[in-house]
Amino acid sequence: MPTLDRQNDVFLLDLGDGENRFHPDWLASVNAALDEVEQASGPRALVTCATGKFFSNGLDLEWLGTHGEQRHEYVTTVHELFARVLTLPLITVAALQGHTFAAGAMLSLAHDFRVMRADRGFWCLPEADIHIPFTRGMSALIQARLTPQTAHEAMTTAHRYGGQDALAAAIVDRAVDEDAVRRTAVEIAESQAAKAGDTLATIKTRLYASVLDTLRDTDNPLG
Amino acid sequence: MPTLDRQNDVFLLDLGDGENRFHPDWLASVNAALDEVEQASGPRALVTCATGKFFSNGLDLEWLGTHGEQRHEYVTTVHELFARVLTLPLITVAALQGHTFAAGAMLSLAHDFRVMRADRGFWCLPEADIHIPFTRGMSALIQARLTPQTAHEAMTTAHRYGGQDALAAAIVDRAVDEDAVRRTAVEIAESQAAKAGDTLATIKTRLYASVLDTLRDTDNPLG
Amino acid sequence: MPTLDRQNDVFLLDLGDGENRFHPDWLASVNAALDEVEQASGPRALVTCATGKFFSNGLDLEWLGTHGEQRHEYVTTVHELFARVLTLPLITVAALQGHTFAAGAMLSLAHDFRVMRADRGFWCLPEADIHIPFTRGMSALIQARLTPQTAHEAMTTAHRYGGQDALAAAIVDRAVDEDAVRRTAVEIAESQAAKAGDTLATIKTRLYASVLDTLRDTDNPLG
């Protein structure tokens, strides 16, 4: 399960050491951690990381298979997590030490910056292969953070981007050695901790106003 | 006139060996070919190519000059072709062996990917020079596929991009030798043939929802 | 104060030799110059330049501090300047010989092209640091001209881009030696002077239709 730690001005949210799929309990735990980060005051920034082979594999399809009647509510909760991370009143950096797939990849895009391991692990949107179309909210989020060419390739071909490919495609901001992933993310976060506050929240909210509207359209989250 | 051929899972739509302008008969022929591609089932992909010096020079201005009263209907048909190609339920690759101008360039942008000849031929939106402003639908299509800097330069200066320039500007995905244009396009298409289906169509439809709305606004296609 | 000069087909608008902040008198002077450029006929283009260490430092915060009750009207006027430059019926080039900050940086983005001094001076959106969030209109303008990654970094971190960085991030189109900044801008402008006219104005107006709507939403310019 996710854990939250703090080093000086940087909160470290570790998503776990498994596949870190979005089980309802996992989502509740992430949101509780974000409550703590948000309610803190003064200079601060967030690094979201994980331990092991995966950053996150996204939606918990196994749980969803046995709780189909909660699909609408579940997707609404996932959309709200994306919207929340996208507009946190502090700088956020995703440290991608391992595979970052599907909704896990989208969660990484909701952060301000991404640092990826250069030599192993993939960033991938496999939806076209596993026959789960992106919701309109997911589509809006991805398109708001990637160039048209990259968004199109990533979304229609399920291409797996290694660290260097992801850097060249501007999916991530840095690609570094395995042992530098978390450190680099923390350095970026520390350097921006003084930005925390209402101004930054307003800037992000206006930047992504239309994405937020789509993610928060709870009438038809699956549409 | 356009012809349709099939090699294993790849349909080859050859737009012709002239300027391949969008005469109404030519449009009807292209649409009939797309009917066949769409109605086929199973793994499949499309390569749109041409023979000779031109991929396509776009609108048939000569025909339009003598059929001004059909202008509204004609542009609606062209917009609908762009919308249709943009959302085909299979991967599409434009093989640009020759000049790709104006609405011909826009048709290339409606494909998922573009392979261009590296050493000769231009991709160009000459509208600013020939004093035919882009319709709102055309503008939306171009902007949805290019970076802001490239869309602006291409649309306001009528710059002619050779293959290497078009690759650097991310207008095309590959720039290759003349004899490799079609083969490379077919290879990309073959590798993605298994993607054909409803999921891909839904992904593309959501990706370009606002472009499709503008292209299909038949009340004022010329506005 | 701003001055307007003409060399053959190129108008040269010099914003001044100070910080060139947007004082109401300065805005009136710039608008009077643009009236003259717009009302001229035939082939023409515009180079906006400045003299000294600054291109422009943006809003006149000192004046605004003593005229808070005119804030709504002031921002409306600034928005209208951005909208006007964005849709001038001729090609516009900003020659950035010095610091280009905040609304000065936004004004540069309203031009068709930007040439920046390579070795000194910064292009920067410091709003996140000085706690003045971008208005929705400003946000829309910036996002319409930069890639998602660059817009996000520039707007959330107040990063200062030197000439080479700004070129790499596609914020500017050219980065050249100090003594070549104005000359390069004039060369680009001259080469595009024949484009002046209604077609170009229509192309730009459709390209930036949604940005213009937001900039011209005078009910709530500060929102």
Side-chain angles (χ1 to χ4, degrees):
Chain A
M1 288 294 283
T3 57
L4 186 67
D5 192 17
R6 182 170 187 163
Q7 297 177 358
N8 304 313
D9 289 340
V10 177
F11 284 94
L12 268 159
L13 171 58
D14 188 315
L15 298 178
D17 57 5
E19 289 194 41
N20 309 326
R21 284 186 181 268
F22 294 18
H23 184 279
D25 295 340
W26 183 94
L27 287 165
S29 170
V30 167
N31 274 313
L34 296 180
D35 287 345
E36 192 176 331
V37 173
E38 228 176 338
Q39 285 157 17
S41 60
R44 63 201 191 284
L46 174 69
V47 168
T48 304
C49 55
T51 305
K53 284 177 62 178
F54 304 93
F55 177 77
S56 170
N57 265 345
L59 302 189
D60 192 332
L61 300 177
E62 193 177 347
W63 179 88
L64 204 53
T66 57
H67 298 77
E69 81 290 353
Q70 296 181 47
R71 199 175 46 169
H72 184 121
E73 186 191 338
Y74 176 74
V75 172
T76 297
T77 305
V78 170
H79 280 184
E80 180 51 38
L81 175 64
F82 294 156
R84 185 181 193 182
V85 173
L86 199 56
T87 54
L88 281 173
L90 40 90
I91 291 291
T92 58
V93 188
L96 312 178
Q97 93 298 344
H99 293 308
T100 304
F101 271 61
M106 297 173 212
L107 178 60
S108 80
L109 291 180
H111 287 72
D112 293 307
F113 302 103
R114 284 151 295 288
V115 177
M116 187 170 170
R117 179 175 171 181
D119 65 327
R120 290 188 72 172
F122 292 110
W123 188 100
C124 174
L125 297 171
E127 277 74 2
D129 274 344
I130 60 177
H131 296 293
I132 302 177
F134 304 96
T135 63
R136 289 181 305 112
M138 292 170 176
S139 198
L141 168 62
I142 298 162
Q143 288 183 272
R145 301 308 309 271
L146 302 178
T147 65
Q149 188 185 37
T150 297
H152 192 95
E153 178 184 66
M155 294 172 76
T156 62
T157 71
H159 183 71
R160 299 195 208 194
Y161 298 86
Q164 295 296 351
D165 287 349
L167 181 67
I171 295 168
V172 302
D173 302 279
R174 303 281 294 276
V176 300
D177 286 346
E178 179 186 11
D179 64 356
V181 172
R182 197 176 293 196
R183 188 177 68 237
T184 303
V186 168
E187 284 168 5
I188 295 171
E190 269 176 347
S191 75
Q192 303 292 338
K195 298 280 191 307
D198 290 344
T199 300
L200 185 61
T202 302
I203 288 173
K204 293 191 199 179
T205 301
R206 289 181 184 163
L207 246 171
Y208 299 111
S210 70
V211 178
L212 296 169
D213 283 349
T214 310
L215 283 170
R216 286 169 170 157
D217 176 7
T218 54
D219 285 346
N220 184 19
L222 296 162
Chain B
M1 288 294 282
T3 56
L4 185 68
D5 191 16
R6 182 170 187 163
Q7 298 176 357
N8 304 311
D9 289 340
V10 178
F11 285 95
L12 268 159
L13 171 59
D14 189 316
L15 298 178
D17 57 6
E19 288 194 41
N20 308 326
R21 284 186 181 269
F22 295 17
H23 185 280
D25 295 340
W26 184 94
L27 286 165
S29 171
V30 167
N31 274 314
L34 295 180
D35 287 344
E36 192 176 331
V37 173
E38 230 177 336
Q39 285 157 18
S41 60
R44 62 202 190 283
L46 173 69
V47 167
T48 304
C49 55
T51 306
K53 284 177 61 179
F54 304 94
F55 176 77
S56 169
N57 264 346
L59 301 189
D60 192 332
L61 301 176
E62 193 177 347
W63 179 86
L64 204 52
T66 56
H67 297 77
E69 80 290 353
Q70 295 181 47
R71 197 175 47 169
H72 183 121
E73 186 190 340
Y74 176 73
V75 172
T76 297
T77 306
V78 171
H79 280 184
E80 180 51 37
L81 176 63
F82 295 156
R84 185 181 193 182
V85 173
L86 199 56
T87 53
L88 281 173
L90 40 90
I91 291 291
T92 58
V93 188
L96 311 178
Q97 94 297 346
H99 293 309
T100 304
F101 272 59
M106 298 173 212
L107 178 60
S108 81
L109 291 180
H111 287 73
D112 292 306
F113 302 102
R114 284 151 295 290
V115 177
M116 187 168 169
R117 179 175 171 181
D119 65 328
R120 290 188 73 171
F122 292 110
W123 188 100
C124 174
L125 297 172
E127 278 74 1
D129 275 344
I130 59 177
H131 296 294
I132 302 177
F134 304 96
T135 64
R136 289 181 306 110
M138 293 170 175
S139 198
L141 168 62
I142 298 162
Q143 288 182 273
R145 302 308 309 271
L146 303 178
T147 65
Q149 188 185 38
T150 298
H152 192 95
E153 179 184 66
M155 294 172 76
T156 63
T157 71
H159 183 72
R160 300 196 209 192
Y161 298 86
Q164 294 297 351
D165 288 348
L167 181 66
I171 295 168
V172 302
D173 302 278
R174 303 283 294 276
V176 299
D177 286 346
E178 179 186 11
D179 64 356
V181 171
R182 195 175 295 196
R183 187 177 70 237
T184 303
V186 168
E187 283 167 6
I188 295 171
E190 268 176 349
S191 74
Q192 302 291 339
K195 298 281 191 308
D198 290 344
T199 300
L200 185 61
T202 302
I203 288 173
K204 293 192 200 178
T205 301
R206 290 182 184 163
L207 246 171
Y208 299 111
S210 70
V211 178
L212 296 169
D213 283 349
T214 310
L215 283 171
R216 286 171 169 156
D217 176 7
T218 54
D219 286 345
N220 184 19
L222 296 163
Chain C
M1 288 294 284
T3 57
L4 186 68
D5 191 17
R6 183 172 186 161
Q7 297 177 357
N8 304 312
D9 290 340
V10 177
F11 284 95
L12 268 158
L13 171 59
D14 189 315
L15 298 179
D17 57 5
E19 288 194 40
N20 309 326
R21 284 186 181 269
F22 295 16
H23 184 279
D25 295 341
W26 183 94
L27 286 165
S29 170
V30 167
N31 274 314
L34 296 180
D35 287 345
E36 192 176 331
V37 173
E38 229 177 336
Q39 285 156 18
S41 61
R44 64 201 190 283
L46 173 69
V47 167
T48 304
C49 54
T51 306
K53 283 176 63 179
F54 304 94
F55 177 76
S56 169
N57 264 346
L59 301 189
D60 192 332
L61 300 177
E62 192 177 348
W63 179 88
L64 204 53
T66 57
H67 297 77
E69 79 291 352
Q70 296 181 47
R71 198 175 47 169
H72 184 120
E73 186 190 337
Y74 176 72
V75 172
T76 298
T77 306
V78 171
H79 280 184
E80 181 49 37
L81 176 63
F82 294 156
R84 186 181 193 182
V85 174
L86 199 56
T87 54
L88 282 173
L90 39 90
I91 291 291
T92 58
V93 187
L96 311 177
Q97 95 297 347
H99 294 307
T100 305
F101 272 59
M106 296 172 212
L107 179 60
S108 81
L109 291 180
H111 287 72
D112 292 307
F113 302 103
R114 284 151 295 289
V115 177
M116 186 169 170
R117 179 175 171 183
D119 65 328
R120 289 189 74 173
F122 292 111
W123 188 101
C124 174
L125 297 171
E127 278 73 4
D129 274 344
I130 60 177
H131 296 294
I132 302 177
F134 304 97
T135 63
R136 290 180 305 112
M138 293 169 175
S139 198
L141 169 61
I142 298 162
Q143 288 182 272
R145 302 306 312 269
L146 302 178
T147 64
Q149 189 185 37
T150 297
H152 192 96
E153 179 184 65
M155 295 172 75
T156 62
T157 71
H159 184 71
R160 300 195 209 193
Y161 298 85
Q164 295 297 350
D165 288 349
L167 181 67
I171 294 168
V172 302
D173 303 278
R174 302 283 295 275
V176 300
D177 286 346
E178 179 186 10
D179 65 356
V181 171
R182 197 175 295 196
R183 188 177 68 237
T184 303
V186 169
E187 284 168 4
I188 294 172
E190 269 176 348
S191 75
Q192 302 291 338
K195 297 281 191 307
D198 291 344
T199 300
L200 186 61
T202 303
I203 288 173
K204 293 190 198 179
T205 301
R206 290 182 184 164
L207 246 172
Y208 299 110
S210 70
V211 178
L212 296 169
D213 283 348
T214 310
L215 284 170
R216 285 170 170 158
D217 175 7
T218 55
D219 286 344
N220 184 18
L222 296 162

